[in-house]
């Protein structure tokens, strides 16, 4: 089992919404993921605002914690849509390699 797969499995232990309606859980988890991504951005914003863009040790710890929160929600969302974090990572690697080979790393749009 990969480290990511083990982490994915462990997130189920602390998920506390198993008895919620599925659509409510999906919305909650998607909003949680967006919220935690915002907390990562907020930590970087504060580094720019308060520390001239320097990532202090305290800020590094804050970003570490928030990225962990992002991964927790990503794992639960992956579970809800029937995939694993390993599936998402593999798909991303394939996509980025294709874009690199096609010279389309820059630009916009998902289908390039
Ligand atoms: Mg957080």
């Amino acid at each position: 089992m990969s480290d990511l797969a083990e982490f994915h499995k462990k997130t189920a232990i602390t998920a506390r919404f198993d008895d919620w309606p599925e659509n409510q859980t999906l919305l909650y988890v998607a909003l949680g993921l967006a919220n935690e991504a915002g907390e990562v951005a907020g930590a970087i914003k504060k580094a720019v605002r308060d520390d001239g863009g320097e990532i202090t040790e305290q800020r590094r710890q804050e970003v570490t914690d928030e990225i962990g929160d992002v991964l927790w929600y990503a794992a639960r969302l992956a579970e809800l849509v029937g995939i694993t974090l390993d599936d998402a990572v593999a798909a991303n690697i394939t996509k980025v390699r294709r874009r690199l080979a096609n010279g389309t790393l820059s630009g916009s749009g998902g289908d390039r």
Side-chain angles (χ1 to χ4, degrees):
M1 182 180 285
S2 72
D3 288 347
L4 208 51
E6 191 167 329
F7 172 79
H8 184 154
K9 186 176 174 184
K10 285 181 179 175
T11 62
I13 298 168
T14 49
R16 291 287 181 253
F17 38 74
D18 285 347
D19 57 342
W20 293 10
E22 188 175 333
N23 62 346
Q24 189 176 344
T25 304
L26 195 60
L27 180 60
Y28 173 79
V29 171
L31 289 171
L33 178 59
N35 180 66
E36 296 301 343
E39 290 184 13
V40 173
I44 300 303
K45 178 201 75 175
K46 290 173 191 169
V48 170
R49 182 190 65 193
D50 300 339
D51 304 320
E54 179 188 349
I55 303 298
T56 62
E57 191 50 45
Q58 179 183 350
R59 197 75 67 200
R60 180 174 292 105
Q61 186 57 54
E62 189 179 348
V63 171
T64 300
D65 289 347
E66 299 307 344
I67 288 175
D69 290 345
V70 165
L71 290 171
W72 189 94
Y73 278 101
R76 299 321 306 156
L77 186 58
E79 184 80 22
L80 288 171
V81 300
I83 63 171
T84 67
L85 286 180
D86 281 323
D87 293 332
V89 168
N92 181 265
I93 290 170
T94 299
K95 177 178 70 179
V96 173
R97 284 182 178 163
R98 185 184 67 246
R99 288 178 180 176
L100 179 63
N102 295 342
T104 57
L105 277 176
S106 297
S108 60
D111 190 24
R112 56 181 208 275

